[in-house]
C-alpha cells in the first residue's frame, strides 16, 4: 500500500501575508484539509483497494465506509489500513486492523455503504486514530470560529 | 451545594436543550440519515422529535412546517447545496432562523466548502468520518454559543436579532457595545460595516471592516464586506486587491472566480487572468458559469494583447486556452476567429477553425467561418460565388453581407451591391446604417 502525500492543513493561510506583492493570486496549497485515507485488502478475494474508499463514520470498534461496487461481500474478512496525510509523510499507517464485513447497502451511485466490525486492532493505534479524527474536526471548528 | 464539573454542566445544559427540540436530519442517503439518527439518539434526542428527510424540497417544506431547533444537513442534497436551505429559510423567517442551529455534515474537506459555510453563517460543520464524540463536541460547542453565550456573544446574538427585524439603529448599538466586550471583536466590526454600508455611510463602513482586519487579517466576513463596500464605492482597484486577498486565504468559489475575472478585466489586470486559468485547471471544477466567464476573459485578454507589443503569439496562447477550457465551443471559437479576421490573421484563424469537431465540420457555423477566412485570401470571383451559395442555402449572417457588398462594390457591381443591401436591411434591420455606410465607403 502506498503512502499518501500531504496537502497543507486547513486554515494555514492565516499565517501568511495575503495580498503581498509578487505572490500568486490564489493559494493553491489550500484546497484540501487532511483526511484519513482508507486502504483495504479483501482476504477472501485477494483484491486490494486503494482509491474510491471513503471513511464515513467511526463507531465503537467499527467503521462505516463507502467502497467500490463488488469490492466486498458480507462476512468477508478484510485487512484495513488508515493513513493520515501528514508532513512529512508518516512511515506507516495510523491504524492497521482486521475486520469483517457486517452489513452492505448498495447505493444509487453503484458504490457500497459497508459496515465493518473490527476484529483485531491495536488499542494505542485506535485511540490515536480517534484523536486524529477529532483533531480534524476541531480544526474546522476553529477555522469557522476564527473567521466567521 | 456541590460544585459541578464544567463539562458535566455543559452536557446537562445541552441535554436539556435538545430534549424537547424538533430536529431535522437531511441526507439523500437513507443509511446516512439513520446513522445520524442513532448519534442524535445517543446524545439525548427524543425519536419523535427527529425528522429524517431525503430531498431538498421535502426539507424546505418541513422546515417551514415544524420550525426545527436544529438542522443537520449533508452539504449536497441531490443537485442542491444544503446551505441553500438556510438561505431560503433566512429570507422567509429571519427571526426564527436565527434561533435554529444549522449544521452541515459532509465528507467535503475542501476549504472552499468551509468558506461557503462561513458565508452563509452556519453554526457548525461536521466532517466525515465522524465519531459520536466529534459530533457531540461540535454540536455542543455550537449550541452552547447560542444558549449560554459570553457577554460578547450575547451582544452579537441580540444585534443579529434586531438586525433581522430591520432595526438598523438598535442593531448598530448592540454591535458597538459588542466591540467593547471582546479583545478581538472582528465579527462585531463586520456587522457594523454591514449596517453602515446599508446606510450608505461608505467611508465609515470601510473603516469598520479595516478595523476587523487589523485584528485578524483573514477574517472572512470582514474581507467579503470590505470587498462589497469598495465595489459599491466604485473603488474597483481597491476592491480587486481585497478580492485577491480573499482568494488567497479562502479557495475561491465558482462565483468568486467569476468576480475575479470580471474585476481583472475592469481594472486591466490581464496577467492575473492567466493565473485564474491555472487555478481553474487545478480545481477539477466543471462549473459551466466559470468556464464561460473564463473563456470570455481569456478572449478579452488576448484581444488586448493583439493591440500591444506582446502581440499575436501571446494572444494566440490565450485564445487556445479559452478554446481548451470550453472544449472548443463554437460560440467562443467564432469569437476568436472574428477577432483574428479583424486583424487580417486568416492563417491563424484557419488553425482555430480546424478545432471544430469533425461531426460539426459541415454545420452552418463552420461554413460561415470557412467562408469568412477564405474571403481574406481567395480570388474575388470565388469569394462572390461561395458567399452567394451560402445565402442561397439560407445561411444569413451580417458578415457574409459585409463581404459581398464590399466585393461587389469594389468590382463596380453597384446594382448587385444595392440588391444585397436591400436584403441585408430586411435581415438585419438594426444594422442598416452600418451596412449602407459600408456600401457607400466601398464605392470606387
Amino acid at each position: 500500500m502506498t503512502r499518501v502525500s500531504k496537502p497543507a492543513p486547513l486554515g494555514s493561510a492565516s499565517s501568511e501575508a495575503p495580498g503581498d506583492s509578487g505572490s500568486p493570486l490564489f493559494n493553491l496549497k489550500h484546497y484540501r484539509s487532511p483526511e484519513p485515507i482508507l486502504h483495504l485488502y479483501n482476504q477472501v478475494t485477494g483484491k486490494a483497494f486503494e482509491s474510491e474508499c471513503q471513511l464515513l463514520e467511526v463507531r465503537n470498534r467499527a467503521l462505516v465506509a463507502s467502497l467500490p461496487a463488488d469490492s466486498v461481500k458480507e462476512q468477508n474478512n478484510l485487512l484495513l489500513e488508515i493513513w493520515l496525510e501528514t508532513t512529512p509523510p508518516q512511515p506507516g499507517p495510523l491504524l492497521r486492523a482486521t475486520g469483517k464485513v457486517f452489513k452492505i447497502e448498495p447505493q444509487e451511485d453503484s458504490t457500497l455503504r459497508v459496515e465493518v466490525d473490527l476484529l483485531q486492532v491495536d488499542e494505542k493505534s485506535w485511540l490515536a486514530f480517534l484523536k486524529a479524527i477529532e483533531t480534524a474536526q476541531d480544526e474546522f471548528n476553529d477555522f469557522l470560529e476564527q473567521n466567521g | 451545594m456541590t460544585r459541578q464539573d464544567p463539562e458535566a454542566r455543559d452536557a446537562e445544559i445541552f441535554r436539556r436543550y435538545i430534549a424537547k427540540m424538533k430536529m431535522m436530519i437531511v441526507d439523500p442517503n437513507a443509511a446516512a440519515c439513520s446513522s445520524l439518527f442513532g448519534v442524535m439518539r445517543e446524545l439525548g434526542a427524543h425519536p419523535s422529535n427527529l425528522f429524517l428527510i431525503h430531498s431538498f424540497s421535502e426539507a424546505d417544506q418541513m422546515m417551514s412546517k415544524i420550525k426545527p431547533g436544529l438542522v443537520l444537513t449533508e452539504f449536497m442534497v441531490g443537485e442542491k447545496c444544503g446551505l441553500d436551505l438556510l438561505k431560503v429559510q433566512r429570507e422567509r423567517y429571519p427571526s426564527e432562523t436565527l434561533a435554529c442551529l444549522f449544521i452541515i455534515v459532509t465528507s467535503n474537506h475542501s476549504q472552499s466548502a468551509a468558506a461557503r459555510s462561513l458565508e452563509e453563517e452556519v453554526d457548525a460543520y461536521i466532517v466525515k468520518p465522524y465519531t459520536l464524540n466529534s459530533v457531540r463536541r461540535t454540536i455542543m460547542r455550537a449550541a452552547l454559543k447560542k444558549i449560554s453565550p459570553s457577554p460578547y456573544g450575547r451582544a452579537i446574538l441580540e444585534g443579529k436579532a434586531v438586525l433581522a427585524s430591520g432595526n438598523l439603529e438598535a442593531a448598530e448599538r448592540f454591535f458597538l457595545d459588542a466591540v467593547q466586550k471582546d479583545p478581538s471583536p472582528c465579527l462585531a466590526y463586520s456587522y457594523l460595516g454591514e449596517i453602515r454600508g446599508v446606510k450608505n455611510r461608505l467611508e465609515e463602513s470601510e473603516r469598520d471592516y479595516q478595523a476587523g482586519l487589523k485584528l485578524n487579517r483573514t477574517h472572512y466576513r470582514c474581507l467579503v464586506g470590505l470587498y462589497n463596500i469598495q465595489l459599491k464605492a466604485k473603488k474597483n482597484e481597491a476592491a480587486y486587491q481585497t478580492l485577491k486577498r480573499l482568494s488567497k486565504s479562502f479557495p475561491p468559489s465558482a462565483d468568486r472566480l467569476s468576480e475575479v475575472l470580471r474585476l481583472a478585466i475592469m481594472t486591466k489586470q490581464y496577467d492575473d487572468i492567466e493565473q485564474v486559468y491555472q487555478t481553474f485547471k487545478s480545481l477539477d471544477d466543471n462549473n459551466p458559469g466559470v468556464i464561460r466567464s473564463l473563456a470570455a476573459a481569456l478572449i478579452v485578454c488576448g484581444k488586448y494583447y493583439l493591440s500591444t507589443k506582446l502581440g499575436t503569439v501571446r494572444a494566440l496562447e490565450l485564445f487556445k486556452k479559452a478554446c481548451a477550457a470550453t472544449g472548443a465551443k463554437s460560440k467562443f471559437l467564432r469569437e476568436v476567429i472574428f477577432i483574428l479576421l479583424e486583424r487580417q490573421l486568416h492563417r491563424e484563424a484557419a488553425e482555430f477553425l480546424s478545432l471544430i469537431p469533425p461531426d460539426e465540420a459541415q454545420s452552418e457555423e463552420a461554413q460561415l467561418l470557412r467562408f469568412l477566412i477564405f474571403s481574406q485570401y481567395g480570388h474575388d470571383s470565388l469569394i462572390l460565388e461561395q458567399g452567394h451559395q451560402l445565402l442561397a442555402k439560407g445561411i444569413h449572417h451580417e458578415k457574409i453581407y459585409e463581404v459581398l457588398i464590399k466585393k461587389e462594390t469594389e468590382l463596380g457591381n453597384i446594382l448587385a451591391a444595392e440588391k444585397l443591401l436591400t436584403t441585408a436591411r430586411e435581415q438585419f434591420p438594426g444594422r442598416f446604417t452600418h451596412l449602407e455606410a459600408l456600401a457607400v465607403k466601398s464605392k470606387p
Side-chain angles (χ1 to χ4, degrees):
Chain A
M1 292 184 184
T2 50
R3 201 178 295 176
V4 177
S5 62
K6 150 91 173 129
L10 183 77
S12 56
S14 54
S15 60
E16 296 185 5
D20 288 352
S21 60
S23 52
L25 179 59
F26 299 110
N27 198 335
L28 297 178
K29 289 185 295 180
H30 296 154
Y31 281 104
R32 307 287 305 173
S33 72
E35 57 187 302
I37 308 291
L38 172 66
H39 294 168
L40 72 87
Y41 175 74
N42 188 330
Q43 292 179 313
V44 177
T45 63
K47 286 185 182 166
F49 298 88
E50 294 194 353
S51 59
E52 301 173 62
C53 302
Q54 192 180 28
L55 265 179
L56 301 173
E57 205 179 317
V58 180
R59 296 178 181 168
N60 188 18
R61 302 304 166 109
L63 302 173
V64 182
S66 167
L67 302 181
D70 301 324
S71 55
V72 294
K73 290 199 162 49
E74 279 187 18
Q75 299 302 311
N76 278 178
N77 283 322
L78 309 176
L79 176 64
L80 304 150
E81 280 187 0
I82 293 167
W83 294 76
L84 191 69
E85 302 163 316
T86 55
T87 306
Q90 304 268 324
L94 181 64
L95 182 76
R96 192 175 272 138
T98 58
K100 190 183 274 288
V101 177
F102 169 69
K103 188 178 175 188
I104 297 178
E105 288 175 79
Q107 302 298 298
E108 276 180 12
D109 61 0
S110 80
T111 60
L112 305 173
R113 183 182 168 90
V114 179
E115 294 182 24
V116 182
D117 277 342
L118 299 183
L119 303 174
Q120 281 185 317
V121 58
D122 171 56
E123 179 68 18
K124 207 171 150 188
S125 306
W126 176 252
L127 292 176
F129 169 55
L130 292 181
K131 171 96 179 145
I133 288 178
E134 283 161 16
T135 302
Q137 179 64 61
D138 288 343
E139 276 184 11
F140 260 91
N141 292 345
D142 293 343
F143 173 78
L144 290 176
E145 195 157 305
Q146 281 163 20
N147 295 290
Chain B
M1 191 191 285
T2 54
R3 191 182 294 169
Q4 204 177 6
D5 164 26
E7 267 192 40
R9 187 201 59 206
D10 286 349
E12 178 56 24
I13 293 173
F14 180 68
R15 198 190 57 73
R16 272 191 271 126
Y17 175 66
I18 66 166
K20 290 182 181 171
M21 181 188 278
K22 289 196 169 90
M23 287 171 254
M24 271 172 50
I25 298 171
V26 187
D27 195 316
N29 185 309
C33 258
S34 302
S35 279
L36 277 171
F37 177 86
V39 171
M40 293 312 295
R41 282 282 294 121
E42 290 205 38
L43 293 181
H46 195 276
S48 63
N49 285 335
L50 283 164
F51 297 83
L52 306 187
I53 317 266
H54 306 304
S55 75
F56 188 93
S57 56
E58 197 191 343
D60 187 29
Q61 285 169 16
M62 191 60 95
M63 271 187 91
S64 300
K65 194 173 158 192
I66 66 167
K67 306 268 174 14
L70 189 151
V71 176
L72 278 167
T73 176
E74 171 61 31
F75 190 72
M76 290 308 293
V77 184
E79 296 289 303
K80 295 207 169 182
C81 182
L83 287 169
D84 292 333
L85 268 180
L86 178 62
K87 216 170 170 177
V88 169
Q89 290 299 316
R90 192 182 282 140
E91 280 163 16
R92 237 179 260 160
Y93 312 106
S95 305
E96 289 93 330
T97 312
L98 271 179
C100 173
L101 263 184
F102 199 92
I103 296 170
I104 293 286
V105 186
T106 183
S107 46
N108 186 344
H109 283 232
S110 74
Q111 260 189 328
S112 48
R116 172 106 206 263
S117 303
L118 279 172
E119 203 160 345
E120 299 301 338
E121 295 180 58
V122 299
D123 295 291
Y125 192 107
I126 294 171
V127 288
K128 291 179 186 172
Y130 55 75
T131 65
L132 175 66
N133 198 34
S134 70
V135 173
R136 178 195 289 128
R137 277 168 53 182
T138 303
I139 298 181
M140 268 181 67
R141 184 170 163 169
L144 288 170
K145 269 173 75 177
K146 287 215 169 173
I147 54 182
S148 183
S150 64
Y152 172 68
R154 185 175 301 281
I156 294 283
L157 284 175
E158 287 171 342
K160 280 169 78 171
V162 288
L163 184 60
S165 70
N167 188 342
L168 297 182
E169 301 297 333
E172 191 174 353
R173 282 196 296 277
F174 275 114
F175 293 124
L176 278 170
D177 180 41
V179 165
Q180 308 301 321
K181 290 182 168 159
D182 193 274
S184 185
C186 302
L187 189 59
Y189 276 125
S190 75
Y191 278 110
L192 280 174
E194 188 178 321
I195 290 168
R196 287 161 176 172
V198 172
K199 288 176 163 181
N200 251 351
R201 285 149 58 187
L202 303 188
E203 293 293 326
E204 263 180 282
S205 167
E206 194 170 339
R207 273 201 299 277
D208 291 326
Y209 290 126
Q210 297 284 17
L213 290 169
K214 207 171 169 184
L215 297 164
N216 173 1
R217 59 186 306 158
T218 61
H219 190 264
Y220 186 79
R221 265 191 125 259
C222 284
L223 278 171
V224 172
L226 179 63
Y227 164 69
N228 287 329
I229 218 70
Q230 286 169 333
L231 266 192
K232 196 172 175 183
K234 298 195 172 23
K235 295 179 177 176
N236 287 343
E237 294 281 348
Y240 186 58
Q241 292 309 319
T242 305
L243 192 58
K244 281 170 79 170
R245 204 168 147 188
L246 185 65
S247 299
K248 273 194 68 187
S249 299
F250 301 96
S253 61
D255 287 347
R256 185 129 45 83
L257 267 182
S258 300
E259 268 297 275
V260 170
L261 290 166
R262 192 179 70 81
L263 266 188
I265 296 281
M266 280 173 73
T267 55
K268 298 188 169 55
Q269 304 288 322
Y270 296 114
D271 288 340
D272 285 351
I273 289 168
E274 281 200 88
Q275 273 194 41
V276 179
Y277 176 73
Q278 296 303 337
T279 305
F280 175 78
K281 281 207 304 184
S282 70
L283 267 178
D284 194 25
D285 186 340
N286 294 319
N287 184 300
V290 180
I291 293 174
R292 279 196 300 275
S293 302
L294 184 59
L298 285 166
I299 290 171
V300 171
C301 193
K303 198 173 175 182
Y304 162 78
Y305 283 128
L306 276 179
S307 66
T308 69
K309 284 179 185 170
L310 290 165
T312 314
V313 176
R314 188 101 174 89
L316 290 175
E317 277 173 21
L318 295 175
F319 291 152
K320 280 176 190 161
K321 285 174 179 172
C323 292
T326 55
K329 285 242 168 63
S330 59
K331 179 185 158 194
F332 293 100
L333 201 57
R334 181 177 62 184
E335 190 59 32
V336 166
I337 290 174
F338 283 178
I339 291 168
L340 291 170
L341 291 179
E342 273 171 24
R343 302 212 161 236
Q344 309 297 313
L345 295 167
H346 60 82
R347 280 195 188 83
E348 289 78 0
E351 274 183 42
F352 280 91
L353 185 66
S354 69
L355 295 176
I356 290 183
D359 59 332
E360 290 176 28
Q362 291 311 315
S363 65
E364 290 191 359
E365 179 89 353
Q367 291 185 61
L368 165 72
L369 294 172
R370 205 174 295 122
F371 167 72
L372 292 175
I373 292 170
F374 180 68
S375 74
Q376 292 209 341
Y377 66 87
H379 191 275
D380 288 346
S381 61
L382 284 175
I383 294 169
L384 286 173
E385 187 186 323
Q386 287 190 13
H388 283 290
Q389 276 174 2
L390 289 182
L391 295 183
K393 281 188 201 172
I395 303 175
H396 295 272
H397 192 281
E398 193 183 333
K399 286 194 183 289
I400 300 176
Y401 283 98
E402 275 182 29
V403 169
L404 292 179
I405 292 168
K406 198 174 166 192
K407 274 294 166 224
E408 295 285 21
T409 314
E410 278 170 6
L411 295 171
N413 303 330
I414 304 303
L415 276 177
E418 283 178 355
K419 199 176 163 196
L420 281 164
L421 192 56
T422 308
T423 319
R425 277 191 199 120
E426 291 163 13
Q427 293 282 341
F428 310 102
R431 305 290 292 168
F432 166 73
T433 317
H434 160 68
L435 290 169
E436 186 140 39
L438 186 74
V440 172
K441 207 169 94 184
S442 301
K443 277 181 186 171

